[in-house]
Amino acid sequence: MHNKPMVNMLDNQLREKVLTFLEREITAANIPGACISVSRNSQMIVKECIGSRTLHPSPQPVEEATIYDLASLTKVVATLPALLKLLGEGAFHLKDRVSYFLPRFGNNGKEEIRIEHLLTHTSGLAAHRRFYLENITKGQIIERICADTLVEEPGKRVIYSDLGFILLARIIEEISQQSFESFVDQYIFKPLDMKETGFNLSLPKERFAATVYSDELHDFKYGIVHDENAEAIGGVSGHAGLFSTLNDLTKFASMIENEGAYNQKGILDKSVLDLARTNFTPYDREGRGLGWQLQSEGALASGDLLSRQTYGHTGYTGTSIWFDPLSKITVILLTNRVHAKNQNGILRLRPRLHNLIHSHLSAKGVREQ
């Protein structure tokens, strides 16, 4: 039998540990502020916001309703669930050639690239191209990727590529015959009641966490996507561009934890979620599922203590989400580290934070037995 007062005391201890840790990171100018949630067994243990959403012209506090630029969390919160829904409905299979949906892609050694390769970052496409410097349209960017040459043979190693996820959003549009933005809103965000999640959100500047200074705007970016290619595409892309709040992301996480269900509604099938967290890259030091990064040998933001079943993702702006199905721990961290003085501090912050959380909850688990 659990001793509830003891459990609550241990939860409060973790809350204080996490807040103290984040306070130190803010003092060290590694982040301006943060929103964080920690859950175990689908029960919220920590849900806190601390620090500032902007530092200029004067610090303004982070609130639970603060909206963050998710950066590459777009890949797993929008693009991946949209594709998993279509996969479960029989609209495509993983071994489908990309050129089946985008015929102009089938050249320069790309003829045999499959959707699986794009989702697992094993297509051999370049990690990044600076399309934003060329003043070209979204359609022209797609054409440029379709005409591009490979930097590696498909299926040989992991090269984390934004280009593949730009194409995946286009493939979703080809399959669904509706815009990527409207598809994810209709089939993912609305069923999850994620009312403050989307692209190009038309909300007051004061709702957003600041990112970088824009010479063009003569101000910091608030609600304008940080990623230059996503901005050039119009703010809507499969690799970046999504904005959200901690509250909305906890709803998404709840759906993942509950095998695709939210408030007794089936959003995604358990079978496709299980498939997505399977290791498709055992030949590489970096384990990759469909969209997800898996706990593996390489240095990971998830730290050292979460189980080998752990999967998650990070966003360049300072965001992350990690699930450990074995310990049933989920951690969501939202920061705008690109607005901080020491922008690379996040690289040490994330793994140390996850180590602290797991260590405390492991000890708590022993005490509860």
Side-chain angles (χ1 to χ4, degrees), residues 165-189:
F165 272 75
I166 293 172
L167 290 182
L168 286 169
R170 184 74 189 102
I171 289 170
I172 290 167
E173 293 180 335
E174 286 292 322
I175 293 173
S176 67
Q177 291 299 295
Q178 66 184 105
S179 73
F180 171 60
E181 181 179 15
S182 66
F183 185 87
V184 294
D185 189 58
Q186 180 177 349
Y187 293 104
I188 308 300
F189 303 148

Side-chain angles (χ1 to χ4, degrees), residues 23-240:
E23 282 173 359
R24 289 191 189 124
E25 297 298 310
I26 292 168
T27 301
N30 292 329
I31 53 172
C35 286
I36 185 169
S37 73
V38 181
S39 64
R40 189 176 194 187
N41 296 316
S42 299
Q43 298 298 311
M44 192 66 66
I45 297 172
V46 176
K47 189 178 186 184
E48 295 290 337
C49 294
I50 185 173
S52 302
R53 66 170 183 84
T54 184
L55 300 174
H56 303 279
S58 62
Q60 299 297 319
V62 175
E63 299 174 347
E64 206 168 276
T66 296
I67 300 169
Y68 282 86
D69 181 339
L70 297 189
S72 283
L73 287 195
T74 303
K75 294 179 174 76
V76 294
V77 178
T79 312
L80 175 64
L83 284 163
L84 293 181
K85 183 163 189 64
L86 291 169
L87 178 71
E89 292 176 349
F92 74 94
H93 65 101
L94 291 179
K95 303 298 183 185
D96 267 331
R97 290 178 174 86
V98 174
S99 59
Y100 177 81
F101 301 100
L102 303 174
R104 293 170 72 89
F105 183 79
N107 62 72
N108 291 335
K110 304 192 300 298
E111 295 84 356
E112 295 301 314
I113 293 178
R114 316 295 171 129
I115 290 182
E116 175 187 317
H117 291 133
L118 299 185
L119 276 166
T120 57
H121 297 280
T122 57
S123 66
L125 286 168
H128 182 65
R129 300 284 191 206
R130 295 183 178 184
F131 297 124
Y132 62 92
L133 295 177
E134 302 179 42
N135 193 29
I136 56 179
T137 66
K138 175 182 176 180
Q140 289 172 319
I141 288 173
I142 297 293
E143 288 300 311
R144 287 288 303 279
I145 300 172
C146 286
D148 209 353
T149 55
L150 298 177
V151 297
E152 178 63 270
E153 186 180 342
K156 293 299 182 184
R157 69 184 177 102
V158 174
I159 301 174
Y160 180 79
S161 176
D162 284 347
L163 307 189
F165 272 75
I166 293 172
L167 290 182
L168 286 169
R170 184 74 189 102
I171 289 170
I172 290 167
E173 293 180 335
E174 286 292 322
I175 293 173
S176 67
Q177 291 299 295
Q178 66 184 105
S179 73
F180 171 60
E181 181 179 15
S182 66
F183 185 87
V184 294
D185 189 58
Q186 180 177 349
Y187 293 104
I188 308 300
F189 303 148
K190 282 184 178 174
L192 288 173
D193 197 30
M194 294 171 69
K195 294 178 180 177
E196 295 190 311
T197 299
F199 301 89
N200 296 325
L201 295 177
S202 298
L203 291 167
K205 169 183 172 180
E206 292 74 23
R207 290 293 313 279
F208 295 92
T211 56
V212 295
Y213 187 82
S214 165
D215 291 329
E216 185 178 342
L217 297 171
H218 304 292
D219 195 1
F220 289 85
K221 286 185 173 183
Y222 297 90
I224 298 172
V225 62
H226 169 267
D227 183 274
E228 296 96 337
N229 277 343
E231 186 178 10
I233 288 170
V236 183
S237 183
H239 77 289

